[in-house]
Structure formats: C-alpha cells, structure tokens
C-alpha cells in the first residue's frame, strides 16, 4: 500500500482487516470486514442490494453494480445468513462474491494528516486508530447475528459499518453526515465549489480558483473525518444492539440518536 493505491493481494489478508473493492467506473466502493476463512461480513441495504437511497438515484447505482450470477456460488453458501440477517442487511459472503470481480484494497487507519490529505478520494483511509483485530472480528460477527441499524447511503452505509467494527465509534449528532469518507467526498466536492465561488472577487485566474476549491474540499474532508470529529462516541457492540432494541439508542429518520446521559456510550471528544 502507498500514496497512490491501497491495493493488496489476498495472501496478505488478516482477520480483522477492513477491505473494499471499487465497483464499475469507480462510482463507489463496497466495504466489509474480513473475518478469516475466506469470509467477509458486510452491510447492505438488504434484498441483495449493496447500496440504495430509495429514490431515482438508485437507477444509476444499480446500473454500476456488479452483475450477479443466477447460479449459486459453490463456496459462498450463505450458511451464516438467514431471513433476519437478510432483513437487517448485515450479511456474510465469501471473498470472491464480495469482490464481484473487482480488485482488493485495504482501508488504512491512523494515517498521518499529510497522507490523509494527499489521498484525494475519500473512503480509503482515516485518522482514527483501529482497535485490536480480535475486537473487530467480534463486533462484525455480533452484528451479523443482531443487526446494525437502518441503512442510509449518506449516514449509515457499508463504510460506516466497517469503520464502526474497526473503532467502535459512531457519530451521535443529528443532521450531519456519518463517518463514511465516500459520503463526505460526495458532499465535499459540491460544497467546495459553492464556498470557493466568492473567491472570484480575489482572483479570476482559473488555476487560482482550482487551487482554492481543492483547498476547501481537503479541509472539509479533514474536519469531517471520524478521527478528527468532536461529535463521536464509543459504543460497545452489545450496548448498541441492546440500546436500539430498548429504545435507549434510537434510529430516527434513518439516523442513530444517542442520549447524552446514556450509559451505553463513552464520549471521545477532545
């Protein structure tokens, strides 16, 4: 792995790795947790859909999704999946089915700020530190049996799931994007264009405008990264699912709402 690519070979995989694979035309990447024995646990919208918004945007997303074979995979028999896991969206697949013909990449944790900013595309690394691999695998397997939360393309997607498994961190504040670097990039690009527009009063040079837009974009990515935010909480996986079931932690408008006094969470704000 390096500055330009996080691509790795299957032989270097370790249980607890956060992996991803770009889909057609690099429109989006699908993320998951490798748990060993050629198995990946990942979060989907359910009903065999990796992503979705419930809007007309799904036409574009589905068109770029990998084509599924009508023939059942001889290796990935989905023995870990039942009706409940299919409904909550957390599924287990073999590595080949997860990759769907794409290349294998490993998500990087605890990167330094310079490297983070140098990687222009979000959803490849974070400033946050990963927990031990054993804890990561335990979280992923627990969520496979008990569910994660309501799927939302921008606030609770496959990358959010994988980052939670690796760190135990969740964004608690309402009305904000989740911890997904991909979602931050999608929002950050147009935001950079809008914010940089007033700088036309300072310079009309197209290169100067481009530099300003890139600067705003990088600053938005850096400020919104899960390892740099103040609105994140550490939630134990058992408390997360128990809290959702009891109502102490609520999913409102497809987003997690954590009461400030909830014993299930620990603030990690600086």
């Amino acid at each position: 792995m390096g500055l330009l690519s996080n691509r790795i070979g299957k032989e270097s995989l370790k249980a607890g790795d956060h992996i991803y694979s770009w889909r057609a035309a690099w429109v989006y990447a699908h993320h998951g947790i490798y748990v060993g024995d050629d198995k990946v646990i990942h979060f989907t919208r359910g009903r065999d859909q990796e992503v979705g918004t419930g809007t007309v945007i799904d036409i574009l997303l589905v068109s770029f999704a990998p084509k599924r074979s009508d023939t059942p995979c001889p290796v990935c028999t989905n023995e870990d999946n039942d009706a409940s896991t299919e409904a909550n969206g957390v599924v287990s697949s073999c590595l080949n089915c997860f990759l769907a013909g794409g290349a294998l990449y490993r998500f990087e944790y605890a990167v330094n700020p310079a490297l983070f900013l140098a990687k222009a595309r979000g959803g490849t690394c974070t400033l946050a530190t990963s927990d031990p691999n054993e804890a990561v695998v335990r979280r992923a397997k627990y969520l496979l049996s008990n569910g994660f939360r309501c799927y939302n393309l921008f606030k609770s997607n496959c990358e959010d799931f994988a980052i939670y498994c690796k760190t135990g961190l969740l964004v608690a504040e309402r009305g904000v994007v989740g911890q997904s670097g991909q979602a931050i990039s999608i929002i950050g690009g147009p935001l950079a264009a809008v914010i940089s527009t007033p700088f036309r009063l300072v310079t009309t040079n197209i290169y100067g405008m481009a530099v300003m837009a890139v600067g705003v974009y990088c600053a938005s990515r850096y400020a919104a990264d899960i390892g740099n935010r103040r609105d994140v909480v550490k939630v134990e996986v058992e408390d997360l699912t128990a809290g959702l079931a009891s109502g102490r932690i609520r999913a409102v408008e497809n987003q997690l709402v954590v009461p400030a006094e909830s014993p299930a969470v620990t603030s990690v704000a600086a």
Side-chain angles (χ1 to χ4, degrees), residues 26-269:
W26 289 49
V27 171
Y28 71 94
H30 190 50
H31 295 246
I33 298 295
Y34 181 72
V35 295
D37 297 324
D38 201 45
K39 291 292 181 66
V40 182
I41 295 176
H42 50 116
F43 185 45
T44 71
R45 192 182 177 211
R47 301 177 297 279
D48 296 323
Q49 297 183 46
E50 286 183 350
V51 296
T53 64
T55 70
V56 293
I57 297 176
D58 292 352
I59 298 175
L60 174 64
L61 295 173
V62 171
S63 68
F64 284 106
K67 297 297 184 291
R68 301 296 180 181
S69 172
D70 295 329
T71 305
C73 172
V75 177
C76 178
T77 57
N78 289 328
E79 69 271 13
D80 294 325
N81 303 326
D82 54 27
S84 61
T85 60
E86 291 292 339
N88 66 41
V90 182
V91 297
S92 174
S93 303
C94 72
L95 181 59
N96 285 337
C97 285
F98 172 82
L99 294 176
L104 173 64
Y105 298 83
R106 180 188 288 135
F107 195 96
E108 293 184 88
Y109 284 81
V111 300
N112 63 63
L115 179 59
F116 178 86
L117 293 173
K119 290 182 178 290
R121 185 72 183 261
T124 61
C125 62
T126 179
L127 303 166
T129 301
S130 170
D131 288 334
N133 287 337
E134 295 78 10
V136 176
V137 172
R138 182 179 66 83
R139 284 189 190 117
K141 290 184 175 180
Y142 189 91
L143 294 175
L144 175 63
S145 300
N146 296 276
F148 184 46
R149 50 182 181 172
C150 298
Y151 182 93
N152 181 287
L153 182 63
F154 296 106
K155 298 177 181 179
S156 180
N157 57 40
C158 58
E159 186 184 344
D160 291 302
F161 169 82
I163 290 175
Y164 171 72
C165 289
K166 289 288 286 186
T167 65
L169 300 177
L170 289 173
V171 175
E173 185 177 337
R174 293 188 61 184
V176 294
V177 71
Q179 56 259 51
S180 167
Q182 292 187 95
I184 293 167
S185 292
I186 292 171
I187 294 173
L191 179 64
V194 171
I195 293 178
S196 62
T197 299
F199 286 103
R200 290 178 183 173
L201 300 175
V202 179
T203 177
T204 58
N205 184 287
I206 187 171
Y207 299 108
M209 288 295 299
V211 169
M212 289 179 184
V214 170
V216 172
Y217 168 73
C218 290
S220 67
R221 280 189 57 229
Y222 182 79
D225 183 73
I226 189 71
N228 202 37
R229 296 177 67 149
R230 293 178 177 272
D231 58 347
V232 297
V233 290
K234 188 96 172 184
V235 183
E236 292 299 326
V237 67
E238 294 85 1
D239 291 331
L240 172 63
T241 54
L244 287 171
S246 66
R248 287 187 294 111
I249 300 176
R250 296 177 293 117
V252 177
E253 298 175 352
N254 289 333
Q255 186 171 356
L256 190 73
V257 176
V258 183
E261 69 279 5
S262 173
V265 304
T266 303
S267 173
V268 295

Side-chain angles (χ1 to χ4, degrees), residues 7-20:
R7 187 170 180 173
I8 61 171
K10 294 180 180 179
E11 66 281 355
S12 66
L13 274 176
K14 303 183 299 295
D17 278 348
H18 173 174
I19 61 176
Y20 62 96

